[in-house]
Amino acid sequence: MVVEQRELLEFYQSQIEELKKQNTALEGRVVSTEVGVEALREDNSCRRKVAFSFASGLNDSLGPLSTDTILVFSKKITNVGNAYSKITGVFTAPLRGVYYFRFNVLGYSSSYRLAVCLYKNEEKILDVTEFPKGQYEYAVGGATLLLQEGDQVYVKLRSNSQIIDNIDNHCTFSGFLLFAK
């Protein structure tokens, strides 16, 4: 009986030693993980944040105009990083990266089309055209763009086109940095 108790005691002691080794290894992994999380927090806090969303600020119609015209979305919803100008209607990339942009505009006229284009610098990226025919119609577009620092993105209302908006913010332009590159 004494021999069995001694063997049992030795068995438990070996199990305790093994658990101590595992615990030490786990403590090392926890410390390593904590260091990694802290490094990610620091990296994220240093990372530039860029996101904007503006409504037109109109309470009526705009257009038709005789030339293509940059739409100025002047009613701020958000402007993290202040890269969008509500004076010029132009987003200027503060750093090289991949960005996503989206716009929607509303038309109603039975006489004029609803046509807008998304531009990067002076290059037309996409063109969206609707013919409302006296009914409410949205023109919606979006694109993911690789921008260099200083590149400009904006929405133009095409000539002989018309949009309408009111306090419900039917016409908006938004964008955000997906990741720096």
Side-chain angles (χ1 to χ4, degrees), residues 4 13 20 25 39-40 53 55:
E4 287 178 6
Q13 286 175 338
K20 284 180 181 179
L40 286 172
S53 189

Side-chain angles (χ1 to χ4, degrees), residues 104-118:
N104 54 278
V105 291
L106 180 64
Y108 182 78
S109 175
S110 57
S111 304
Y112 303 104
R113 67 185 176 165
L114 170 61
V116 293
C117 302
L118 181 70

Side-chain angles (χ1 to χ4, degrees), residues 1-135:
M1 179 97 161
V2 172
V3 172
E4 287 178 6
Q5 288 178 341
R6 187 177 302 137
E7 288 175 355
L8 194 55
L9 182 61
E10 288 173 3
F11 171 76
Y12 286 138
Q13 286 175 338
S14 71
Q15 290 296 314
I16 289 171
E17 289 304 314
E18 181 61 31
L19 289 172
K20 284 180 181 179
K21 288 178 189 176
Q22 290 176 6
N23 189 47
T24 300
L26 288 173
E27 285 174 350
R29 289 176 61 189
V30 167
V31 168
S32 175
T33 301
E34 289 172 345
V35 168
V37 167
E38 188 57 36
L40 286 172
R41 277 193 187 121
E42 284 182 29
D43 182 46
N44 193 37
S45 70
C46 295
R47 192 170 294 169
R48 295 273 312 259
K49 292 166 182 61
V50 182
F52 75 93
S53 189
F54 277 75
S56 72
L58 294 172
N59 200 21
D60 200 357
S61 62
L62 175 65
L65 304 170
S66 59
T67 61
D68 291 0
T69 305
I70 293 176
L71 283 174
V72 177
F73 296 83
S74 61
K75 186 176 178 184
K76 178 181 166 184
I77 298 168
T78 189
N79 197 11
V80 175
N82 296 314
Y84 175 81
S85 170
K86 69 178 188 174
I87 305 301
T88 64
V90 175
F91 171 85
T92 303
L95 66 145
R96 184 177 195 277
V98 176
Y99 296 79
Y100 178 75
F101 298 93
R102 176 181 167 77
F103 65 85
N104 54 278
V105 291
L106 180 64
Y108 182 78
S109 175
S110 57
S111 304
Y112 303 104
R113 67 185 176 165
L114 170 61
V116 293
C117 302
L118 181 70
Y119 279 81
K120 171 186 169 185
N121 298 322
E122 295 180 15
E123 173 191 2
K124 186 188 297 183
I125 301 300
L126 60 93
D127 185 327
V128 179
T129 303
E130 294 290 338
F131 298 92
K133 299 177 184 161
Q135 298 180 24

Side-chain angles (χ1 to χ4, degrees), residues 95-101 144-147 176-181:
L95 66 145
R96 184 177 195 277
V98 176
Y99 296 79
Y100 178 75
F101 298 93
T144 302
L145 303 173
L146 173 60
L147 301 180
F176 53 89
L177 174 65
L178 292 170
F179 54 89
K181 185 144 174 57

Side-chain angles (χ1 to χ4, degrees), residues 39 70 118 152 159 169:
I70 293 176
L118 181 70
Q152 296 184 323
S159 63
N169 303 327

